[in-house]
Amino acid sequence: MIVMGIETSCDDTGVSLYSPKKGILSNVVSSQVKLHADWGGVYPDLAAREHTRNLIPVVDKALKEADVSLQEVDAVAATVAPGLIVSLVVGISSAKALSWSLKKPLVPVHHIESHIFAVFLQEEIEFPFLSLVVSGGHTELYIINGFENYIYLGGTLDDAVGEAYDKVARMLGLGYPGGPIIDKLAKEGKEVIKFPRPLLGDRGKNRFNFSFSGLKSAVLREVEKGIYRKGDIAHSFQEAVVDILVGKTVDAVKEFNIKRLVVSGGVSANSRLRERFTEESEKHGFNVYFPPLYLCTDNGAMVAYTGYRRLAETGTTVGFDFEGKARLRMDGFVEYIKEYKQKGAV
Ligand code: KG4
Ligand code: ZN
């Protein structure tokens, strides 16, 4: 069996072919980073236009690299929610056209779900596990009891953590995407400023929620004062971010007594975050798993794999009236796709 995975939820056009027997056959990502660099973030209309331009060439390249013909594809999986709707519809429409012409099933995939299950491309992890998803659009904590069995614990009340990285990088005039640049620059600095850690230590309703906008404003004030070096500001900002993410997640590990943690999404590539989680896991006796670096940021392989898994475990495919959604939490996704299944799938 070969599953094609299509990812267009934000600014990366990703297509991959996955075989349960042979693993990832190809994984092509066309990044729009240079285009969005001037803007300091993703400009939705531009992203959608670029997906339209790039998607078929990326499909073609993925097939060639895998040495697979289009007719050999057994199912087409696509990211259908959440994300920039103008970007999502490019991938969804193309996946529908491929599914319709090949007469092969159309499999919907949730973006967060695919970030989480990316780690399974490296190793199988026993359920239940805790999952922290940190990316440009999301900062969420879940308990994953099994495939399609997800419990939401909390998420960000304002900015996503990757967004905060990108905005701080912009304030410091460092370029886009800011995460990897700050990660590197922080190594040259020291924690000269103790930035606030919003909601860390909250024992009430925001126990597992996050907030980064206050931290971002505190960084802006320091940048405007112009006292400290960029490396020191980057370092101080990153220490605050990592303290918040690690502190809240370790609280969840203790509260639910779940000994496995998966950290995924673009920000899970962060070297300091990996270092701190590894230290904490040794201290508190749990196992922490990260996807390999090339599967942390958006890609088609995580979509192809999650699509395969959906087919294998629940067989949920959807009809051509299926609609993508800009906002949809992962715990509501299973119900959402079932509605379309009832309306009749291929
Ligand atoms: O998962 P992803 O590719 O796209 C979304 O679904 O949002 O994540 C992109 C985000 C960007 O905000 C980027 O700055 C951040 O991941 N990122 C990092 C690192 N590498 C990427 N943030 C911190 N440290 C990194 N090494
Ligand atoms: Zn993502």
Side-chain angles (χ1 to χ4, degrees), residues 7 9 111 115 135 265-266 296-298 302:
E7 157 61 36
S9 66
H111 187 59
H115 270 305
S135 75
C296 285
T297 43
D298 293 348
M302 63 188 191

